[in-house]
Amino acid sequence: MTAIRGAVLTVSDRASSGSYQDRSGPLAVELLAGHGIDAGLAVVPDDPAEIRRGIRTAIKGGARFVLTSGGTGIGPRDVTPQVTAEMLTLALPGVVDEIRRRSAEHVASAVLSRAEAGIVTSKKRPAAFVVNAPGSMGGVRDTVAVVGPLVAHIVDQLDGGDHNP
């Protein structure tokens, strides 16, 4: 089976400035590999233009799956969900509902995540599945546990495959 090309985009002012070591992004890359997803890693600040550029660059580079890590909370600089929502052609709210449900079993504040998930389409590139994960190690683990088994099926569906996994 050929690996699915993916991308992980860490969204963090501190990690992008070098004042904080990104741990969630590398963990996401490692966990996704276990699901047949070959993902590169980039880090951007909590800035709408940078987040948008990061997602678009990943898709232009051939990523069929993009996982963002960070910026899903309620802080004033947490803008990842808004940027992602603007880019989505088709939202998949059940995906993030399940991630929040699983995470809330361990951390009550997980219900505050405003993460988005869905499909980004382009006239020039194949469609891609994009999902926001919290910037925590646990949030990334829970996100990959939910989406990892779905990515191959979603990409197959985007390419016109049968509805039965």
Side-chain angles (χ1 to χ4, degrees):
M1 178 169 136
T2 304
I4 295 170
R5 181 175 287 173
V8 173
L9 184 68
T10 297
V11 180
S12 167
D13 287 333
R14 293 182 305 144
S16 68
S17 73
S19 66
Y20 171 81
Q21 182 181 353
D22 174 27
R23 294 177 39 213
S24 64
L27 175 63
V29 169
E30 177 186 330
L31 294 173
L32 290 170
H35 292 279
I37 302 162
D38 182 17
L41 173 63
V43 180
V44 298
D46 292 277
D47 174 77
E50 293 294 326
I51 297 165
R52 193 175 300 106
R53 184 178 301 117
I55 294 171
R56 285 186 179 145
T57 297
I59 294 170
K60 284 180 185 177
R64 300 301 305 278
F65 173 65
V66 179
L67 183 145
T68 68
S69 173
T72 64
I74 58 173
R77 300 271 304 155
D78 292 331
V79 296
T80 305
Q82 296 97 293
V83 173
T84 302
E86 292 169 2
M87 298 177 75
L88 296 179
T89 306
L90 178 66
L92 299 173
V95 172
V96 288
D97 289 346
E98 177 61 11
I99 294 166
R100 278 190 285 270
R101 187 197 65 75
R102 281 192 192 204
S103 294
E105 291 175 358
H106 314 291
V107 179
S109 62
V111 298
L112 298 177
S113 172
R114 299 175 306 107
E116 294 281 347
I119 307 304
V120 174
T121 58
S122 165
K123 293 177 182 171
K124 298 179 182 180
R125 308 272 181 234
F129 174 37
V130 178
V131 64
N132 304 146
S136 67
M137 304 285 278
V140 164
R141 281 189 187 95
D142 290 338
T143 300
V144 174
V146 171
V147 302
L150 300 174
V151 173
H153 178 65
I154 290 171
V155 170
D156 182 61
Q157 289 285 286
L158 294 175
D159 292 344
D162 192 359
H163 286 281
N164 296 317

